[in-house]
Amino acid sequence: MKPYSIPFLIAALVAFCGLAKPLKAQDPPPAHELEAVSITATRIERKTADVPASVAVVGEAAIQETPMSNIKEAVRGIPGVLIDSRNQGYDSRVLIRGAGLKARYGVRDIMVLLDGVPITDPDGLTRLDFIDTQLIQQVEVVKGPNSTLWGANAAGGVINMTTKSPFEREGGVAKVGIGNYATRNYHLSYSDNIAETVYYTLSGSRRESENAWRRWNEFETNQASLQGAMMLDDGSTLETYFGFTDADLQLPGKLNERQFIEYEKTGQASETDGPWQYSGRYSDIFFVNAKYTKEMGPWEIKPLFYLNKWTHEHPITGRINDADTNTFGADLQVNRNHRLAGMKGILTFGATGRWDDQETDYYRYADYATTPGGRITEVLSDRKGELIETQDRRVDLYGFYVQESIRPADRWIVDVGLRYDLIKMDVTGTRTEEYSYGRGQYIPAEDPDDVRKNFNGLSPRLGATFKLTDWLNVYGNFSQGIQTPTEGEIGENPDLKLVTVQNYELGLKARTRSWAIDSAVYYSPVEDEVVQVIGPGGDSQYVNSGKTLKRGFEFSGVWSPPWQALKGLEFGAGYSYTNYTFEDFTEPVRVGFEVVNIDRSGNTLPFIPAHQYSVYGRYRHASGIKFKLEAFSWGSYYVDNANTEKYEGYDFVTNAMVGYEKGPYQVTLNVDNLFDKYYAVEVEKDTQGVKRYTPAAPRTFIVRLAYRF
C-alpha cells in the first residue's frame, strides 16, 4: 500500500474555507420520500408511481444515515438487488434480478451512471473505484432490461448515483469518521459562486482501513474533484466534473473448508486458500465530463461527453496485469413536448457513441516457491517478473434510440421505445508464456489468435401505467435488452454470442400520506446467457447457456404512523422470491484428461437465494436524536451449476445507527453486524467438488462527526 497522507487538496480547502461564514443548518428531509422522482427509467423526470417499471430511489436523508464508504450501504435491502463487498472496501459485487452473476470482479450486465453519465465501459464492465461516495445525494435503481434508453449492457438494470449540483449547494461540510480495524474516513467540500451565474464545488476525500480480521485486506483511496455549473444568458446550463482518484485495494483470497470452519469459531481469517496470496488492484483514474442543457420552446437539447483515463496494476491468479485504458463517450438527447392525435406527449430521441481502448502488459510473478517438480505452491510478493504477454483491446459502441411517452387519458401514461446498438470488438496480442492450471507452472505459449467480433441488436420497450385511484397505480411492461460478452471473456472464448433478455412485468404502486407499497411480478426468458464455469483451482471459463428462465416476485413497503405522538417513526420491509433455472445448458467439465459436456438443464442458477428479506425501523425526533435498526436475511442457495449442495445463507444480520444533530453539527455511530455473526457472503464449488468461501466481516463500527459551514 502506498503511504499517502490526507490529500493536499483537503489542506488547501481547509485554509480556503476558513474564511467562509457559518450557515444555518437546515432540517433534513424525511428519510422516506413518498413522492420520490425518477430521472433514469424514462430519461425524463417523473414520479416513481407513474413509471411503468420497478424503480427504487434512496434519498439524501437515508444516505446520510450511513458512512457511505461503499455503494452497498445505500442499496442493500432493495428487493431484487443482491450486493455485498468481498473485502469491505469500496469494491462491490452487484446483482439485479440475477444479472451480474458471472462477474469475477466489478459490476457486469448493469448500466451504472454518475449524474446521468455512463461509467460503464462499452463492453459492460463497471469499476466503482473512482466514485467518491461522500458526494452522493441520491441513488436510483431501475430493475430489468433498460437497453431501449441506455444501450447495450443495461439488460440487468440501471443504477444512477446523483450528486448535488453546485447550483443547489451552499457553503461546505467537513466529515471525520473513525472506526475499528483502523478505519478512517475524511471528507471536505465547499461550494460557492464566483459570479451570479457561475457556481462550483471543491471536494477531497480519503478512506482507509486495515481490516486486520482478514489477511491481505487493506485498502486506501484519495480523491479530489471540482464540479462547475454555469447559467448562460439564454437560460441554458453547463455543468462540468473533473475528478482524480488514487485507489489501492488488496483483494484477499477465498477460504477453504478448514479455514472457513476456523473463521466461524474466531471471526478471524488469517489464512486464505491457494498459492495466489497477493491479488490487488492499484489504480490512478481521471474522470471528466460535461453536460449542456438548452430549452427552445417545446424543444430541450441535452448533449454530454465524458473521458475516463484509467491506469492500474492488477495482480491476479497466474499473472500481473498492467493496463492503460482510455474511454471516451458522447450522448445527444433531444426532448420535445407535443401533441399526438390530441394527446399530450414527450418525444425523446438521440444517439450515443462510446469508445474504449486498452493496452495491457501481462507479467509473471517474480517471487514464488515451487515443488521440486516446478509446481507453484506460494507466491511470495506482488512484484512483477518477466513480461509474458501483451494485448490491445478496442471496443466501439454506437446507438440510436427513440421513445414516445403519451397520455391517452388523464389516468394513462404509455411509453413506446426502440433502440439499435452496434458493438465492435477487436483484440490482438502477443504471448511467450502462460500459466498452466493443470501443471501449476509457467509454460511456453504461442501468440493468441486475433479476435474481431461485431454484435448488433434491437431493444424494444412498451410500458403503460394506469391510475386506479388517487393513491393506487398499476403498470405493465414488455422490454428487451442485449448484453455483450466483455472483451476479456471474448479474448478467452471467441465463440461467445450476444445475450438477449426479455422481460414481461406487472406491478402495483400505492402512495398515501403515511404508507407506500411497491410490488412486481416478472417473467424473463434469456437467450444465450453467459455462464461462469469454475474449474479446478478457481480457473474460470465462460460459455453460453442456450436458454435461461427467470421468474420472480418483489415487494417493498413503508409505513409512518399518522399519529402525532409517533411522529418521526417509520417502519419498512422488503421481500423477493426468485425461481431462476437453466432451460438449456450443458456445462463443460474436465474428467481425467478429457472435457465432457454435462447437461444441467432444469437446474437452478447458483448463488441466487429463492427468498430474500429485509426489515428496518427508524426514528427521527425534532430535538435531533435519531436511530435506525435494520436486518437482512439471505436464504439458502446452490453453490454450483450442478446443484450438488446448498449453503444455508444467513438470517437477520443486523445493523444499527444512533445519532444526534444540532445546528451545523452531527455525530453518528454506525455498527454493522451488531450481533457479530460469522457467515459467508458467497460460497462456490468448482467442477471438481472443491468448495471455497468468502467470509463476511465481523462486527464493525465507525463514529462519524460532521460540521456544516
Side-chain angles (χ1 to χ4, degrees), residues 1 54 99 156 185 228 241 249 280 283 337 422 449 489 515 520 614 631 650:
M1 304 290 285
S54 184
N185 291 346
Y241 179 94
L249 177 71
S283 309
N337 289 284
L422 171 64
D449 294 333
E489 294 162 0
W515 57 271
S614 65
Y650 54 82

Side-chain angles (χ1 to χ4, degrees), residues 461-651:
R461 182 172 182 268
L462 172 63
T465 301
F466 179 69
K467 184 179 288 294
L468 284 172
T469 70
D470 290 340
W471 55 271
L472 180 62
N473 288 6
V474 295
Y475 74 88
N477 76 53
F478 162 76
S479 55
Q480 178 173 294
I482 58 173
Q483 188 72 39
T484 68
T486 67
E487 54 189 356
E489 294 162 0
I490 282 289
E492 296 176 6
N493 182 2
D495 295 327
L496 288 175
K497 302 175 184 177
L498 184 73
V499 182
T500 303
V501 181
Q502 294 184 341
N503 187 64
Y504 303 85
E505 184 172 333
L506 295 173
L508 179 149
K509 302 181 183 184
R511 303 287 188 270
T512 74
R513 294 178 61 88
S514 59
W515 57 271
I517 288 175
D518 287 76
S519 64
V521 58
Y522 60 91
Y523 176 90
S524 182
V526 183
E527 294 281 344
D528 296 319
E529 180 158 19
V530 176
V531 177
Q532 181 187 26
V533 176
I534 303 173
D539 179 27
S540 293
Q541 60 175 305
Y542 297 91
V543 297
N544 291 110
S545 66
K547 294 182 180 180
T548 304
L549 182 59
K550 300 179 179 180
R551 293 152 289 190
F553 168 75
E554 297 163 353
F555 170 87
S556 63
V558 175
W559 178 57
S560 299
W563 307 289
Q564 185 64 28
L566 298 179
K567 185 178 180 180
L569 192 61
E570 178 182 298
F571 300 97
Y575 169 75
S576 72
Y577 166 77
T578 62
N579 182 9
Y580 297 170
T581 56
F582 294 117
E583 298 296 292
D584 179 15
F585 174 47
T586 57
E587 182 176 32
V589 176
R590 180 170 294 279
V591 179
F593 295 100
E594 297 182 354
V595 175
V596 179
N597 289 316
I598 299 178
D599 189 9
R600 306 297 193 200
S601 301
N603 285 6
T604 299
L605 273 65
F607 187 63
I608 311 295
H611 306 282
Q612 176 196 10
Y613 309 86
S614 65
V615 294
Y616 75 84
R618 63 157 57 93
Y619 180 67
R620 299 170 65 88
H621 192 267
S623 65
I625 296 174
K626 57 183 178 180
F627 64 81
K628 181 180 181 180
L629 201 66
E630 59 184 357
F632 307 95
S633 294
W634 190 309
S636 62
Y637 58 85
Y638 288 105
V639 299
D640 58 359
N641 297 328
N643 288 183
T644 60
E645 187 177 350
K646 278 189 171 183
Y647 177 65
E648 61 187 4
Y650 54 82
D651 293 318

Side-chain angles (χ1 to χ4, degrees), residues 439-451:
R439 297 172 60 178
Q441 58 186 254
Y442 295 105
I443 62 174
E446 298 180 352
D447 288 344
D449 294 333
D450 293 346
V451 178

Side-chain angles (χ1 to χ4, degrees), residues 213-326:
W213 66 273
R214 192 175 182 197
R215 184 195 176 280
W216 195 251
N217 200 30
E218 297 181 20
F219 79 89
E220 65 177 20
T221 176
N222 298 285
Q223 298 174 294
S225 66
L226 169 63
Q227 294 173 271
M230 181 183 298
M231 182 75 72
L232 304 178
D233 292 340
D234 60 358
S236 59
T237 61
L238 175 65
E239 297 188 63
T240 59
Y241 179 94
F242 301 87
F244 171 74
T245 297
D246 174 83
D248 288 352
L249 177 71
Q250 294 178 344
L251 297 172
K254 299 179 184 296
L255 309 185
N256 60 34
E257 193 137 16
R258 176 190 61 80
Q259 293 164 346
F260 182 70
I261 291 173
E262 183 65 24
Y263 157 79
E264 288 184 305
K265 295 177 181 177
T266 65
Q268 302 292 307
S270 58
E271 300 179 84
T272 53
D273 186 47
W276 313 104
Q277 301 284 327
Y278 291 92
S279 295
R281 192 162 67 247
Y282 313 113
S283 309
D284 290 329
I285 309 111
F286 291 91
F287 184 61
V288 179
N289 69 64
K291 301 184 295 182
Y292 177 74
T293 302
K294 181 176 178 59
E295 295 184 5
M296 299 180 295
W299 295 89
E300 182 182 44
I301 302 175
K302 302 174 68 174
L304 67 84
F305 85 91
Y306 63 93
L307 174 66
N308 190 349
K309 180 173 178 58
W310 189 295
T311 59
H312 77 271
E313 187 174 299
H314 188 18
I316 59 172
T317 299
R319 62 189 185 184
I320 298 174
N321 305 349
D322 193 342
D324 188 352
T325 304
N326 294 281

